[in-house]
Amino acid sequence: MDEREKQNVPEEEESNAARRIRALGQDQEDQEEEEELEIDWWGNFWYHHKWKVLMTAVFGIIIGVAVVQFAGQQNPDVRVLYGGPLYITPNENQMFCDAVETLCPDFNDDGKTYVQLNDMVFMTENQLNEMIARAEENDEDIAYDRLSNAQVQERFTYEIFGGEAAICILAEEQYTDVCVSGGFLPLAELFGEDNIPEGAVDEYGVRLSETKFWKFYGTKEMFPADAVIALRRVSTMSALTGKSKAEKLHANSAEVFRKIMEYEYPEGYVEPTEETAGTEIP
């Protein structure tokens, strides 16, 4: 008895079943061949174009991050520049900005007042030598990155003569260096010869700790004890970046600078003594 009889499968039905099996087998082979072709195509494409694909992906990520960061940035009404050896904590930075915002109008008409403090921490050569001398006197070890200090100092120089921040709060050494370069506007041009603010250290700057504004809002440890506040001249780069815009930003800063210098205590406030002045921010 042959196999067909054993299985009791009609010849015609078996033949149809065989056809289906053969057809299915052929379809599977075709599918496998197609998959192999797809794999070979992708492998060939990746081999020849992988660097283009990778660079496109990286570029897309960079653009995406930049868009997110730009969208999250705020447009300051006024910028203030700090330069000196003392590090300013984020909390101190925010408290200072909050204080100045009480005097600052909404210059850009975006419905809010935002002051930005750009802090640049670096030492002059004299400040560095004094720090080393103190460490040796106290038998202390110090680590200092001269290269990083020099890089920050270069950025500071650019900001002074090309940036948008016009109100400057500088340690006295940094302040003196800018004065020598003629970077500040004389106080007499802002207030008149007969109305120079109290605490003026020269014709350009005022000792920050002696202003009523800082006695009311400030903390002793935030800025150096010898810090001077001054208004720099209109950026020398304004001819390249837009003179009318630079003059408008400078005028806004000058208005806030005047308010800081002319600040009066709230009614009923008793001026603190020298020992307690500026110990906290309300």
Side-chain angles (χ1 to χ4, degrees):
M1 182 180 295
D2 61 18
E3 189 66 27
R4 286 192 301 274
E5 292 176 347
K6 289 180 182 179
Q7 296 179 359
N8 195 25
V9 178
E11 180 177 358
E12 182 178 354
E13 183 179 347
E14 180 189 30
S15 178
N16 289 338
R19 289 192 190 97
R20 285 196 297 272
I21 292 173
R22 286 195 299 273
L24 180 61
Q26 184 64 41
D27 289 344
Q28 289 176 336
E29 291 177 0
D30 291 344
Q31 183 177 358
E32 290 174 357
E33 289 179 0
E34 289 178 2
E35 290 177 351
E36 289 178 358
L37 288 173
E38 289 179 0
I39 293 173
D40 290 343
W41 179 87
W42 172 248
N44 183 62
F45 176 83
W46 179 253
Y47 177 79
H48 290 287
H49 302 284
K50 60 183 177 182
W51 290 114
K52 294 179 182 178
V53 173
L54 290 173
M55 291 299 293
T56 300
V58 170
F59 184 73
I61 292 172
I62 293 174
I63 292 296
V65 171
V67 169
V68 171
Q69 290 181 340
F70 181 79
Q73 287 182 344
Q74 299 187 64
N75 183 24
D77 294 286
V78 164
R79 289 180 170 87
V80 180
L81 177 65
Y82 162 71
L86 293 186
Y87 172 76
I88 295 177
T89 67
N91 187 47
E92 289 174 332
N93 189 310
Q94 185 60 56
M95 287 190 296
F96 172 82
C97 292
D98 289 344
V100 179
E101 284 168 8
T102 64
L103 307 177
C104 182
D106 179 17
F107 289 119
N108 55 25
D109 296 323
D110 62 357
K112 56 189 175 182
T113 301
Y114 174 48
V115 172
Q116 184 180 77
L117 174 63
N118 300 329
D119 53 320
M120 296 195 172
V121 180
F122 69 96
M123 294 187 183
T124 64
E125 195 64 28
N126 286 339
Q127 290 168 337
L128 179 57
N129 291 336
E130 289 176 1
M131 182 186 71
I132 294 173
R134 286 194 303 268
E136 292 176 348
E137 182 179 348
N138 298 323
D139 197 21
E140 297 174 344
D141 293 328
I142 60 171
Y144 195 77
D145 188 344
R146 285 183 176 272
L147 177 59
S148 176
N149 186 74
Q151 291 172 340
V152 175
Q153 195 165 4
E154 287 180 5
R155 293 204 330 264
F156 170 78
T157 301
Y158 170 79
E159 285 296 326
I160 282 290
F161 295 102
E164 294 184 353
I167 300 174
C168 301
I169 298 176
L170 311 178
E172 191 159 5
E173 288 249 356
Q174 282 80 354
Y175 169 78
T176 301
D177 289 343
V178 179
C179 270
V180 171
S181 302
F184 292 125
L185 198 66
L187 294 171
E189 291 188 24
L190 293 164
F191 304 98
E193 293 287 352
D194 299 327
N195 294 298
I196 301 300
E198 294 182 9
V201 296
D202 55 23
E203 60 183 307
Y204 302 106
V206 176
R207 188 77 64 198
L208 180 64
S209 61
E210 296 184 21
T211 64
K212 291 181 179 180
F213 172 81
W214 197 240
K215 288 178 181 179
F216 183 72
Y217 283 109
T219 61
K220 285 184 176 180
E221 295 81 11
M222 181 172 175
F223 294 115
D226 62 359
V228 178
I229 181 170
L231 186 73
R232 71 166 176 78
R233 298 180 183 276
V234 177
S235 170
T236 56
M237 301 292 290
S238 61
L240 300 176
T241 59
K243 186 175 181 180
S244 60
K245 177 185 176 182
E247 289 177 345
K248 175 61 176 175
L249 292 174
H250 189 273
N252 295 343
S253 295
E255 180 178 338
V256 175
F257 181 79
R258 288 191 191 94
K259 290 182 177 181
I260 292 175
M261 294 297 100
E262 296 170 350
Y263 179 83
E264 293 293 339
Y265 296 130
E267 185 177 354
Y269 179 78
V270 179
E271 183 172 342
T273 63
E274 185 177 349
E275 290 75 17
T276 61
T279 57
E280 62 180 359
I281 291 181

